[in-house]
Amino acid sequence: MGHPAILTVDDDPAVSRAIARDLRRRYGDQYRIVRASSASEALDALKELKLRGGRVAVILADYRMPQTNGIEFLEQAMDLFPNARRALLTAYADTDAAIQAINVVDVDHYLLKPWDPPEEKLYPVIDALLDAWQATGDREMEDIRVVGHRWSEPSYEIRDFLARNLVPYRWLGADESEGRRLLEAAGVGPESIPLVVTSDGRTFAQPSTTEVAEAVGLSTAPGRDFYDLIIVGGGPAGLGAAVYGASEGLKTLLVERRAVGGQAGQSSRIENYLGFPDGISGAQLTDRARRQAGKFSAEVLTTRDVTGLRQDGSARTLSFADGGEISAHSIVLATGVAYRPLVADGIAELTGSGVYYGSASTEGPSCAGTDVYIVGGANSAGQAALFFSRYARTVTLLVRGDSLEASMSYYLIQQLNKIDNIRVRTRCEVIGAQGDGHLQAITICDSKEGQSTTVECGYLFVFIGAEPRTDWLGTAVARDEKGFVYTGPDLLSNGTRPKGWDRERDPFYLECSVPGIFAAGDVRANSVKRVASAVGEGAMAVTLVHRYLEAQ
């Protein structure tokens, strides 16, 4: 099919020639550089590439162009080559507008003009975009097909699992003609949904996530029996520990029960993470971190549920739900937190059928023309409101407190205030949910007005509370009354070391009540609940692991 293309479009001839020249100098031997002087000319070029079976790796578009600006052009280009990486070329004066637009359209980066010298300001950005494109390739969405019902909780679980693990798939309703044909070809009926069909024709009726993971090539079994370091949990803290541990030569294994990225991986856009001034989606950040860990040979297991932890002499051993075990010199607990269940009539019965926990991005297109309600007032809820406002008729944030200021970042509040179809209702709680087979209405108690009302609602997304996933630890390590893990100074009571501590030193800062076991990120008592601090703690934990191992 020839070399994949890098397409650039700019209506300024001098700029257009300059960027094409710089791109050819660096990438001309591996990529075809296509230059266009207008959005319409660029779209014609993309259509011709599509018809000829060509591939497009990166699209660079000038932000300020007549008739069609760069954002509008990139939206249309996505329809032709959805997997191409996208960047804006913008002048300094347009930076704020470009960033605001990037928050609405999933653009990967923006480049300020001029980009001289290109070795510092252009090539590193293009290299990162090409790396990301090469990691996903230009596979069509039909690789994996999932047949199910829109309001089926098991169907939603499979779709969400694939999406969060960045596995391309095509969704087919069981009542659609193609969906019915696949069910018939597999020899099963609609009662056997969800049905997963792989690209090589294998079929899985009502599969577990482990079966799906193995079918799509995700790793579910460790490559060795013993490691230097095992990390439990694949959120920002776990990924940070995996990258630093593996890069420093430790035999490193990361174990994740569902999907790498944790709650941060579900975020539609993280804008206050250092080094990403135009923001980055949780999925993109997770993808980069996972590839970075793999670059240093860290192993990553998915769909493995850890159920126990014990000491075996100098080893630390984890038990899995399937009866298996794995041991290491040291353990980092990075299991994060889970959203607290919303206790209200009808919620449990409709979970997965209109009621969802976290930002279920797979439901975005299905929300078109509906009224979406979001429960919660923290950053995750605000980011979800911005995301779903692209699709829904209205998005309403239901906040228990008096305002958003106490729980949400200022920049998010400002963005919410600028979007017409987003409303914020304070001192409100959901006390009931109704629907026949799927969510159709919710009952809201408004303490300001002292009354309850029932409103139509197609989708309800819940972002409340933060419960640590630590029940499986039992009494293995000390925890507080809420289940968060005590570490370092918090373990010292009046200068006394924790019961059973067998070292002549105090616990290291992130070390638990058992030597060689560390905690990082949201699961740790008194931690700062931010992505940047979680990544930092993951890296710090590895430094302390080295100190622990050196003293063994």
Side-chain angles (χ1 to χ4, degrees), residues 274-289:
L274 185 68
F276 293 92
D278 51 347
I280 185 170
S281 73
Q284 289 173 318
L285 186 62
T286 297
D287 179 44
R288 293 183 183 192

Side-chain angles (χ1 to χ4, degrees), residues 46-81:
L46 289 174
K47 291 174 184 176
E48 183 175 351
L49 283 167
K50 190 72 174 180
L51 290 173
R52 294 174 178 267
R55 297 169 294 161
V56 177
V58 173
I59 302 174
L60 305 174
D62 182 40
Y63 175 70
R64 185 180 291 186
M65 294 188 295
Q67 284 82 49
T68 304
N69 68 33
I71 292 293
E72 295 166 341
F73 161 71
L74 288 173
E75 283 186 295
Q76 297 177 59
M78 286 169 62
D79 293 334
L80 293 167
F81 290 94

